[in-house]
Amino acid sequence: MLKNKFSFPLIILATIYLASISAPLNQFKVPPIMTVIMAELGVDLSKAGLMMSVFALVGIFISLPSGFIVHRLGLKSSGILAVASLFIGSFIGWFADNAFGMLSSRIIEGIGMCLISVVAPAVIAAWFAPEKRGMPMGIWSTWVALGSIVMLLVAPVLNGWLGWKSVWGATTIYTAVILCLMIYPFRMPERDEAPHYYACEGHSLDVRRVYSSAGIWLLAAVFLVFNVMVLAVCSFTPVYLESSFGYSREKASAVTSLFLVASLISGPVTGFIIHRYRVFRGVLLTCLFILSMTVVIPFHVEGTAVPLCLFCIGIVAGMIPPATFSAVTEVLKDPKSIGIGMSVVAFGQYLGMGGGPVLFGGIAEKYGWETASYSLVPVLLLGVAAAYFLKIEKEPAPNLN
């Protein structure tokens, strides 16, 4: 019994982490083999780009309603629905032979990604008490980066061996396995396993109060700004390196991926810091300010300084997601309201994902790369302002155990 008490939360964390990774694995199938898909399906660059941007568009429209869905269905059923959507979408795409079928599959996958981004942190909040939540949140915060890196590395290899449909086949099989894990052994905690989760059981959840929380909308603003910056850097740095320095496509992608690789290090480390010192607001303020002062540097240096700068900036950027997700659980004290709160943060995330490439790409095309990099500075300073006004009341004393 004692063994189960300590081990099962880790099993749940591993399961929800693997389930979360299935979303970026499916999302980032397109970029590494986009030219192949364009030729096979007979689509132009704009339609191929829509296969990526549709994820952000779907998220913008369903992120807020997803909070109601999760609240109504519960976390287990919502998690199964999320992974099932990813599986169905990938399966349809596996057999798609035209642009309409592929785009339809991407919409279904987008629904799954939006739902899992709301469900996963709520599951962690349910299984882990506040004083033990920082590290699991830090580990989970790497889901997008890890899934993206894996697909950027694996998709070209699979395409070279068996053709582009093998990429969809691989993600379909992976997601099917995860769907089985979400059905069993995944479950919600019993009362004795998570007393903090049942502490507010006698009180009805006021959904309107969650959606009217100033703290949640400030966190959504922080995450909006963060995603504007991340999507701008990740989307256009390869193009910048190819056009400005003559990098090959493979080298430009590899150098850009260092930005994401760095977050795999800093995410869990930030979780550890938060676990010990509960410094949510301080991490957000510091990191956003540093990024506002450094985000322009990769577009003003040459040679080995470019990958070094991208890696260092990625270290700082990787600290923001775990601090944001952990802060949601502090702003909303009732663990059962976390799913609804995360739907607001997800709304900011998808607005940033949709707006970042448009903002940066439009300015770069008209005024050049350096001017485009400077445009991110005031955006990040808006994030600093949002973090400054964020209030987290009654933060516990440092946990030194």
Side-chain angles (χ1 to χ4, degrees):
M1 186 70 178
L2 187 63
K3 181 180 179 182
N4 180 68
K5 179 179 177 182
F6 285 96
S7 65
F8 208 81
L10 298 180
I11 294 174
I12 295 297
L13 176 62
T15 302
I16 202 65
Y17 185 66
L18 293 173
S20 299
I21 288 175
S22 66
L25 283 177
N26 281 285
Q27 181 187 21
F28 283 91
K29 289 179 293 195
V30 171
I33 54 173
M34 184 177 288
T35 55
V36 177
I37 295 171
M38 289 170 62
E40 291 289 332
L41 300 182
V43 298
D44 57 20
L45 188 59
S46 62
K47 288 182 180 177
L50 184 59
M51 293 177 190
M52 279 300 293
S53 61
V54 72
F55 270 73
L57 294 174
V58 169
I60 290 171
F61 282 106
I62 75 164
S63 53
L64 291 177
S66 69
F68 288 102
I69 295 172
V70 171
H71 177 58
R72 234 3 226 276
L73 295 181
L75 292 176
K76 181 177 174 67
S77 296
S78 299
I80 292 173
L81 177 61
V83 179
S85 297
L86 289 162
F87 168 73
I88 293 169
S90 186
F91 184 81
I92 292 173
W94 191 2
F95 294 96
D97 57 3
N98 55 59
F100 176 79
M102 182 60 71
L103 188 60
S104 299
S105 76
R106 301 293 283 171
I107 291 173
I108 298 171
E109 290 172 338
I111 293 171
M113 184 169 190
C114 184
L115 283 175
I116 200 67
S117 69
V118 172
V119 169
V123 168
I124 293 173
W127 274 95
F128 293 87
E131 67 275 9
K132 299 178 180 179
R133 203 174 284 156
M135 183 61 76
M137 283 291 187
I139 293 171
W140 178 76
S141 71
T142 63
W143 64 294
V144 173
L146 182 58
S148 305
I149 293 167
V150 169
M151 190 48 63
L152 287 170
L153 295 175
V154 170
V157 176
L158 287 176
N159 175 68
W161 287 348
L162 301 170
W164 73 271
K165 282 186 176 289
S166 66
V167 179
W168 268 253
T171 57
T172 301
I173 293 170
Y174 174 84
T175 310
V177 172
I178 298 302
L179 181 58
C180 294
L181 293 178
M182 289 300 293
I183 296 171
Y184 183 82
F186 182 86
R187 64 174 174 82
M188 295 307 295
E190 302 291 341
R191 188 181 298 273
D192 62 333
E193 292 175 309
H196 67 281
Y197 184 63
Y198 292 93
C200 302
E201 189 175 32
H203 305 283
S204 60
L205 178 61
D206 188 346
V207 175
R208 289 175 299 178
R209 183 174 178 273
V210 177
Y211 279 123
S212 63
S213 167
I216 283 298
W217 286 100
L218 287 171
L219 285 172
V222 165
F223 219 45
L224 187 159
V225 165
F226 169 76
N227 278 277
V228 166
M229 185 272 298
V230 169
L231 266 293
V233 171
C234 290
S235 299
F236 289 100
T237 298
V239 182
Y240 165 71
L241 294 175
E242 288 181 53
S243 61
S244 299
F245 302 114
Y247 280 36
S248 66
R249 184 179 304 161
E250 293 76 14
K251 184 178 179 181
S253 295
V255 170
T256 303
S257 71
L258 291 174
F259 179 87
L260 297 172
V261 171
S263 68
L264 298 180
I265 302 170
S266 59
V269 171
T270 304
F272 174 76
I273 293 171
I274 292 172
H275 170 70
R276 291 180 66 90
Y277 303 111
R278 319 288 288 171
V279 285
F280 315 95
R281 181 170 171 267
V283 169
L284 293 175
L285 268 172
T286 303
C287 291
L288 286 166
F289 181 76
I290 292 173
L291 288 172
S292 71
M293 298 295 104
T294 58
V295 71
V296 302
I297 297 177
F299 297 91
H300 291 76
V301 295
E302 299 180 10
T304 57
V306 177
L308 178 62
C309 288
L310 285 171
F311 184 82
C312 292
I313 291 174
I315 288 286
V316 178
M319 300 177 74
I320 293 176
T324 303
F325 300 139
S326 297
V328 171
T329 67
E330 297 300 313
V331 170
L332 303 174
K333 302 300 183 183
D334 183 355
K336 295 185 179 180
S337 69
I338 303 303
I340 296 175
M342 274 304 305
S343 72
V344 178
V345 175
F347 180 67
Q349 173 184 354
Y350 288 108
L351 280 177
M353 287 174 61
V358 174
L359 168 72
F360 193 89
I363 295 175
E365 185 175 27
K366 191 170 184 179
Y367 300 106
W369 294 108
E370 292 186 2
T371 302
S373 68
Y374 281 117
S375 72
L376 295 175
V377 174
V379 174
L380 286 163
L381 289 176
L382 287 175
V384 173
Y388 177 80
F389 287 107
L390 178 66
K391 303 297 180 185
I392 300 178
E393 299 178 359
K394 299 180 180 179
E395 291 194 19
N399 175 37
L400 301 179
N401 296 321

